[in-house]
């Protein structure tokens, strides 16, 4: 029983479900791509353009994962700041990061034009402004580092927020935005035209590297020359990458505003920071999309609803023209310990490649995967290969690595804590809670009709205790970000199997 519960993104596009027919017999291909978000379809599209045979598999349908829950900023102004990336990856690494994201935006623009994709792609400037109380030294350091990274046109400026005083800003010219699922629809259609095959409702449960093969829940297999795992977080291994990145929930609200009231991208220097754009909605109005309020998955602190309340209050403080909230949703972001994605050969494998660690820039990191992985699969050199190598170790990222893994270790203490409730009768309809039965932790969900659904509360990835997400109606793992439907079916990796029966 797959549950379509929780919030709805402004980008929701049910037409993509037409690509959801399942794989019903074993097959072969030059490359099998697992995951049909922006990374998977970007890779598949590039490979098809190069004349390779490609099979794409997705547990649901294209865009049903995190690509549809982004706010779709296309930016080379990276969240971790070039002043910080330069310390972690060196001056050459920062330049390569800037180059790759700049070229990713250009690649999206080229595909939109060549494939005739109607997705509201638009070039516009971006502004990084100081959060109140932050020192201007932050922007001074960033403008210098951005210029060293060869970003053109970056300069200090000011931005006036209506009734507020002018805010000191850093301007990043020629950023962009689009409608992500409309873009994915264009990619999917182009892949089909080029001879690629896309199968939805096909849950992959096994991977082999030599020879490369994936196995589905039905028992069918795809044998290939190479396998690309593009499932937001890798589901083909248990540990290798998951200690090097952390899963965070991030939130967004879309508020009605007058037509063309805002045609820029905005980000602030807060931690967690806010990010702002507009989207065309109708002939009469646009939507102001404001995101932020990040927290580690499964660790909501003061709750979920409060995130939206704070985002809405922040938006109305700076934009008096912001009206009613039309949409609100959350998404999942993978934060690598050194600020850049992991795109390349999976550690320890020869024919298996991964794309993960979006770091808040999933649209460009996913597009970079579509430019880098085809080169690696074909044995061609690529200047970004070392920068994004999943096997890399950056000594200066050791502190962040240790902090996140100490947090993970602390979550295992939940195994010895008492239950959140003493019995299922205490759980309200439409909600869930973890209770203890002897040594066992049980995830109990009471549906809207009052029926009780029980499953083990132990995540099938590495054994953490899941927690109930009352906003998205899911069981979320606080260790590595796996998520499960109310009845225990797996919704997001790295877990590959649902919660066990209880």
């Amino acid at each position: 029983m797959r549950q379509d519960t929780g919030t709805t993104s402004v980008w929701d596009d049910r037409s993509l479900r037409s690509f959801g027919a399942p794989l019903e017999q074993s097959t072969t291909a030059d490359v099998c791509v697992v995951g049909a978000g922006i990374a998977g379809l970007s890779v598949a599209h590039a490979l098809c353009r190069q004349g390779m045979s490609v099979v794409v598999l997705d547990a649901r349908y294209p865009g049903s994962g995190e690509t549809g829950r982004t706010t779709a900023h296309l930016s080379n102004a990276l969240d971790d700041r070039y002043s910080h990336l330069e310390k972690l990856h060196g001056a050459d690494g920062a330049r390569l990061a800037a180059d790759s994201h700049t070229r990713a935006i250009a690649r999206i623009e080229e595909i939109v034009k060549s494939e005739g994709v109607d997705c509201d792609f638009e070039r516009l400037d971006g502004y990084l402004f100081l959060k109140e109380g932050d020192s201007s030294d932050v922007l001074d350091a960033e403008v210098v580092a951005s210029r060293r990274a060869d970003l053109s046109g970056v300069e200090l400026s000011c931005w006036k927020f209506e009734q507020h005083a002018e805010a000191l800003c850093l301007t990043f010219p020629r950023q962009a935005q689009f409608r992500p699922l409309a873009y994915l629809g264009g990619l999917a259609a182009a892949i089909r035209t080029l001879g690629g095959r896309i199968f939805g409702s096909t849950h992959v449960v096994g991977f082999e590297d030599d020879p490369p093969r994936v196995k589905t829940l039905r028992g069918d297999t795809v044998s290939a020359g190479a396998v690309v795992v593009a499932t937001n977080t890798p589901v083909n291994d248990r540990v290798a990458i998951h200690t090097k990145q952390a899963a965070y929930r991030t939130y967004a609200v879309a508020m009605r505003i007058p037509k063309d009231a805002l045609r820029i991208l905005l980000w602030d220097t807060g931690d967690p920071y806010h990010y702002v754009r507009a989207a065309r909605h109708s002939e009469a109005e646009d939507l102001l999309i404001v995101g932020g309020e990040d927290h580690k998955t499964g660790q909501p602190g003061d709750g979920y609803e409060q995130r939206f309340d704070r985002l809405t209050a922040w938006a109305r403080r700076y934009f008096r023209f912001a009206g009613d909230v039309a949409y609100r949703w959350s998404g999942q972001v993978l934060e690598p310990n050194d600020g850049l994605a992991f795109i390349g050969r999976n550690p320890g494998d020869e024919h298996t490649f991964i794309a993960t660690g979006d770091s808040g820039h999933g649209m460009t990191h996913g597009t970079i995967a579509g430019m880098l992985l085809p080169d690696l699969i074909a044995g061609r050199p690529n200047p970004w290969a070392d920068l994004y190598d999943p096997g890399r170790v950056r000594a200066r990222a050791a502190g962040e690595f240790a902090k996140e893994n100490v947090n993970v270790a602390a979550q295992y203490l939940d195994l010895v804590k008492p239950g959140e409730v003493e019995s299922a009768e205490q759980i309200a309809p439409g909600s869930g809670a973890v209770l203890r039965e002897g040594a066992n932790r049980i995830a109990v969900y009471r549906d809207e009709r009052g029926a009780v659904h029980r499953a083990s509360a132990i995540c099938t990835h590495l054994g953490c205790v899941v927690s109930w997400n009352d906003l998205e109606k899911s069981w979320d793992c606080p260790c590595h970000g796996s998520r499960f439907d109310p009845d225990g079916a797996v919704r997001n990796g790295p877990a590959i199997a649902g919660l066990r029966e209880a």
Side-chain angles (χ1 to χ4, degrees), residues 188-331:
I191 290 166
R192 274 190 174 174
T193 299
L194 291 165
R197 293 172 286 165
I198 300 173
F199 298 98
S201 303
T202 303
H203 185 57
V204 173
V205 296
F207 295 84
E208 297 175 16
D209 181 67
D210 191 13
R213 188 172 68 161
V214 301
K215 181 179 179 181
T216 71
L217 185 63
R218 246 181 59 106
D220 301 309
T221 61
V222 179
S223 299
V227 172
V228 174
V229 182
T231 51
N232 189 245
T233 191
V235 295
N236 57 306
D237 62 54
R238 291 177 66 80
V239 178
I241 296 298
H242 307 299
T243 60
K244 298 166 68 171
Q245 64 182 12
Y248 282 76
R249 299 302 295 172
T250 188
Y251 297 80
V253 294
M255 307 169 73
R256 303 179 193 279
I257 59 172
K259 199 73 176 172
D260 295 322
L262 187 78
R263 306 288 349 137
I264 59 173
L265 301 179
L266 287 169
W267 320 281
D268 70 6
T269 59
D271 184 19
Y273 76 108
H274 297 90
Y275 42 102
V276 183
R277 61 162 288 188
R280 303 195 184 280
H281 185 53
S282 69
E283 293 184 1
E285 66 182 10
D286 290 343
L287 293 175
L288 177 73
I289 301 174
V290 179
E293 290 292 326
D294 301 11
H295 65 79
K296 286 204 72 173
T297 298
Q299 303 178 44
D302 61 354
Y304 296 99
E305 289 290 339
Q306 294 86 338
R307 310 281 169 175
F308 291 128
D309 293 341
R310 289 195 289 267
L311 281 180
T312 303
W314 185 91
R316 292 200 167 116
R317 179 183 178 194
Y318 286 102
F319 304 99
R320 287 184 296 177
F321 52 70
D324 295 339
V325 174
Y327 297 88
R328 57 181 209 158
W329 69 96
S330 70

Side-chain angles (χ1 to χ4, degrees), residues 418-427 433-437 444:
E420 296 168 327
V421 295
E422 293 183 357
S423 69
E425 286 68 30
Q426 295 175 266
I427 301 172
V434 174
L435 58 84
R436 177 182 282 282
E437 291 181 352
V444 180

Side-chain angles (χ1 to χ4, degrees), residues 3-320:
Q3 306 266 343
D4 281 314
T5 54
T7 61
T8 300
S9 159
V10 66
W11 316 120
D12 190 38
D13 185 349
R14 292 179 176 260
S15 68
L16 286 166
R17 300 188 183 201
S18 65
F19 294 89
L23 178 71
E24 295 182 331
Q25 61 182 11
S26 296
T27 189
T28 62
D30 291 330
V31 180
C32 178
V33 177
V34 181
I38 191 165
L41 292 192
S42 295
V43 171
H45 180 255
L47 292 169
C48 286
R49 270 185 164 184
Q50 295 170 22
M52 302 187 79
S53 63
V54 179
V55 166
V56 181
L57 307 178
D58 195 276
R60 301 190 72 189
Y61 52 88
S64 59
E66 295 307 313
T67 299
R69 290 186 161 263
T70 178
T71 56
H73 291 227
L74 302 175
S75 174
N76 59 19
L78 301 184
D79 295 350
D80 285 276
R81 313 281 180 257
Y82 286 100
S83 53
H84 181 58
L85 292 173
E86 194 175 71
K87 294 174 183 176
L88 295 174
H89 299 277
D92 287 343
R95 279 193 291 272
L96 289 170
D99 175 63
S100 59
H101 285 271
T102 300
R103 289 176 58 188
I105 299 170
R107 173 60 63 91
I108 291 170
E109 185 174 28
E110 181 270 319
I111 290 172
V112 167
K113 292 177 180 177
S114 65
E115 302 291 359
V117 183
D118 181 10
C119 62
D120 290 343
F121 178 90
E122 180 180 7
R123 288 278 190 174
L124 68 180
D125 291 344
Y127 295 84
L128 173 66
F129 67 96
L130 281 177
K131 176 189 173 186
E132 291 180 19
D134 280 1
S135 168
S136 62
D137 292 348
V138 175
L139 297 186
D140 292 338
E142 190 61 13
V143 70
V144 171
S146 296
R147 289 170 178 170
R148 277 199 297 265
D150 292 339
L151 287 179
S152 61
V154 179
E155 60 183 9
L156 288 168
S157 58
C158 289
W159 176 259
K160 182 72 165 64
F161 291 92
E162 294 188 312
Q163 74 272 27
H164 296 273
E166 282 190 334
L168 186 63
C169 291
L170 200 56
T171 303
F172 290 83
R174 289 187 58 74
Q175 310 299 291
Q177 63 183 27
F178 67 168
R179 288 184 290 121
L181 293 192
Y183 178 72
L184 276 199
L187 280 181
I191 290 166
R192 274 190 174 174
T193 299
L194 291 165
R197 293 172 286 165
I198 300 173
F199 298 98
S201 303
T202 303
H203 185 57
V204 173
V205 296
F207 295 84
E208 297 175 16
D209 181 67
D210 191 13
R213 188 172 68 161
V214 301
K215 181 179 179 181
T216 71
L217 185 63
R218 246 181 59 106
D220 301 309
T221 61
V222 179
S223 299
V227 172
V228 174
V229 182
T231 51
N232 189 245
T233 191
V235 295
N236 57 306
D237 62 54
R238 291 177 66 80
V239 178
I241 296 298
H242 307 299
T243 60
K244 298 166 68 171
Q245 64 182 12
Y248 282 76
R249 299 302 295 172
T250 188
Y251 297 80
V253 294
M255 307 169 73
R256 303 179 193 279
I257 59 172
K259 199 73 176 172
D260 295 322
L262 187 78
R263 306 288 349 137
I264 59 173
L265 301 179
L266 287 169
W267 320 281
D268 70 6
T269 59
D271 184 19
Y273 76 108
H274 297 90
Y275 42 102
V276 183
R277 61 162 288 188
R280 303 195 184 280
H281 185 53
S282 69
E283 293 184 1
E285 66 182 10
D286 290 343
L287 293 175
L288 177 73
I289 301 174
V290 179
E293 290 292 326
D294 301 11
H295 65 79
K296 286 204 72 173
T297 298
Q299 303 178 44
D302 61 354
Y304 296 99
E305 289 290 339
Q306 294 86 338
R307 310 281 169 175
F308 291 128
D309 293 341
R310 289 195 289 267
L311 281 180
T312 303
W314 185 91
R316 292 200 167 116
R317 179 183 178 194
Y318 286 102
F319 304 99
R320 287 184 296 177

